[in-house]
mmCIF file of all heavy atoms in Angstrom:
data_model
loop_
_atom_site.group_PDB
_atom_site.id
_atom_site.type_symbol
_atom_site.label_atom_id
_atom_site.label_comp_id
_atom_site.label_asym_id
_atom_site.label_seq_id
_atom_site.Cartn_x
_atom_site.Cartn_y
_atom_site.Cartn_z
ATOM 1 N N ASP N 708 97.376 93.215 139.010
ATOM 2 C CA ASP N 708 97.244 92.501 140.284
ATOM 3 C C ASP N 708 98.616 92.022 140.724
ATOM 4 O O ASP N 708 99.226 91.165 140.074
ATOM 5 C CB ASP N 708 96.296 91.307 140.152
ATOM 6 C CG ASP N 708 94.863 91.728 139.931
ATOM 7 O OD1 ASP N 708 94.440 92.707 140.559
ATOM 8 O OD2 ASP N 708 94.170 91.085 139.121
ATOM 9 N N MET N 709 99.082 92.584 141.824
ATOM 10 C CA MET N 709 100.352 92.155 142.407
ATOM 11 C C MET N 709 100.061 91.318 143.632
ATOM 12 O O MET N 709 99.384 91.778 144.560
ATOM 13 C CB MET N 709 101.214 93.364 142.758
ATOM 14 C CG MET N 709 102.619 93.004 143.215
ATOM 15 S SD MET N 709 103.608 94.479 143.548
ATOM 16 C CE MET N 709 103.701 95.165 141.910
ATOM 17 N N ARG N 710 100.553 90.107 143.630
ATOM 18 C CA ARG N 710 100.216 89.155 144.696
ATOM 19 C C ARG N 710 101.482 88.605 145.342
ATOM 20 O O ARG N 710 102.542 88.595 144.750
ATOM 21 C CB ARG N 710 99.389 87.996 144.125
ATOM 22 C CG ARG N 710 98.187 88.444 143.302
ATOM 23 C CD ARG N 710 97.590 87.310 142.501
ATOM 24 N NE ARG N 710 96.613 87.780 141.526
ATOM 25 C CZ ARG N 710 96.086 87.031 140.566
ATOM 26 N NH1 ARG N 710 96.444 85.771 140.450
ATOM 27 N NH2 ARG N 710 95.222 87.537 139.712
ATOM 28 N N ARG N 711 101.315 88.158 146.552
ATOM 29 C CA ARG N 711 102.388 87.495 147.305
ATOM 30 C C ARG N 711 103.583 88.399 147.536
ATOM 31 O O ARG N 711 104.723 87.941 147.630
ATOM 32 C CB ARG N 711 102.837 86.216 146.607
ATOM 33 C CG ARG N 711 101.758 85.174 146.451
ATOM 34 C CD ARG N 711 102.311 83.797 146.174
ATOM 35 N NE ARG N 711 103.362 83.750 145.208
ATOM 36 C CZ ARG N 711 103.404 82.905 144.177
ATOM 37 N NH1 ARG N 711 102.410 82.059 143.991
ATOM 38 N NH2 ARG N 711 104.414 82.890 143.346
ATOM 39 N N GLY N 712 103.352 89.704 147.646
ATOM 40 C CA GLY N 712 104.446 90.585 148.026
ATOM 41 C C GLY N 712 104.910 90.286 149.439
ATOM 42 O O GLY N 712 104.118 89.904 150.313
ATOM 43 N N ILE N 713 106.188 90.456 149.679
ATOM 44 C CA ILE N 713 106.748 90.098 150.988
ATOM 45 C C ILE N 713 106.658 91.301 151.918
ATOM 46 O O ILE N 713 107.160 92.385 151.619
ATOM 47 C CB ILE N 713 108.206 89.630 150.839
ATOM 48 C CG1 ILE N 713 108.242 88.360 149.982
ATOM 49 C CG2 ILE N 713 108.825 89.374 152.205
ATOM 50 C CD1 ILE N 713 109.639 87.888 149.670
ATOM 51 N N SER N 714 105.991 91.094 153.040
ATOM 52 C CA SER N 714 105.850 92.130 154.057
ATOM 53 C C SER N 714 105.956 91.464 155.419
ATOM 54 O O SER N 714 106.040 90.240 155.528
ATOM 55 C CB SER N 714 104.509 92.847 153.893
ATOM 56 O OG SER N 714 104.392 93.906 154.804
ATOM 57 N N THR N 715 105.968 92.285 156.461
ATOM 58 C CA THR N 715 106.126 91.748 157.810
ATOM 59 C C THR N 715 104.790 91.723 158.544
ATOM 60 O O THR N 715 103.895 92.529 158.287
ATOM 61 C CB THR N 715 107.116 92.587 158.631
ATOM 62 O OG1 THR N 715 106.656 93.935 158.692
ATOM 63 C CG2 THR N 715 108.493 92.554 157.995
ATOM 64 N N THR N 716 104.662 90.775 159.446
ATOM 65 C CA THR N 716 103.508 90.690 160.330
ATOM 66 C C THR N 716 104.010 90.398 161.739
ATOM 67 O O THR N 716 105.128 89.898 161.923
ATOM 68 C CB THR N 716 102.537 89.603 159.856
ATOM 69 O OG1 THR N 716 101.325 89.672 160.613
ATOM 70 C CG2 THR N 716 103.133 88.211 160.027
ATOM 71 N N ASP N 717 103.203 90.731 162.721
ATOM 72 C CA ASP N 717 103.627 90.567 164.121
ATOM 73 C C ASP N 717 103.451 89.130 164.591
ATOM 74 O O ASP N 717 102.502 88.441 164.205
ATOM 75 C CB ASP N 717 102.812 91.484 165.035
ATOM 76 C CG ASP N 717 103.173 92.947 164.856
ATOM 77 O OD1 ASP N 717 104.253 93.218 164.317
ATOM 78 O OD2 ASP N 717 102.358 93.810 165.241
ATOM 79 N N GLU N 718 104.366 88.728 165.443
ATOM 80 C CA GLU N 718 104.228 87.454 166.158
ATOM 81 C C GLU N 718 104.530 87.716 167.625
ATOM 82 O O GLU N 718 105.530 88.367 167.954
ATOM 83 C CB GLU N 718 105.185 86.410 165.587
ATOM 84 C CG GLU N 718 105.064 85.057 166.285
ATOM 85 C CD GLU N 718 105.901 83.986 165.609
ATOM 86 O OE1 GLU N 718 105.773 83.835 164.377
ATOM 87 O OE2 GLU N 718 106.690 83.314 166.306
ATOM 88 N N LEU N 719 103.658 87.236 168.501
ATOM 89 C CA LEU N 719 103.804 87.489 169.937
ATOM 90 C C LEU N 719 104.633 86.395 170.599
ATOM 91 O O LEU N 719 104.411 85.206 170.370
ATOM 92 C CB LEU N 719 102.431 87.556 170.606
ATOM 93 C CG LEU N 719 102.445 87.837 172.111
ATOM 94 C CD1 LEU N 719 102.888 89.270 172.375
ATOM 95 C CD2 LEU N 719 101.069 87.593 172.718
#
Side-chain angles (χ1 to χ4, degrees):
D708 291 321
M709 187 178 295
R710 309 167 191 170
R711 299 198 316 229
I713 297 175
S714 184
T715 58
T716 189
D717 289 341
E718 181 173 309
L719 181 70

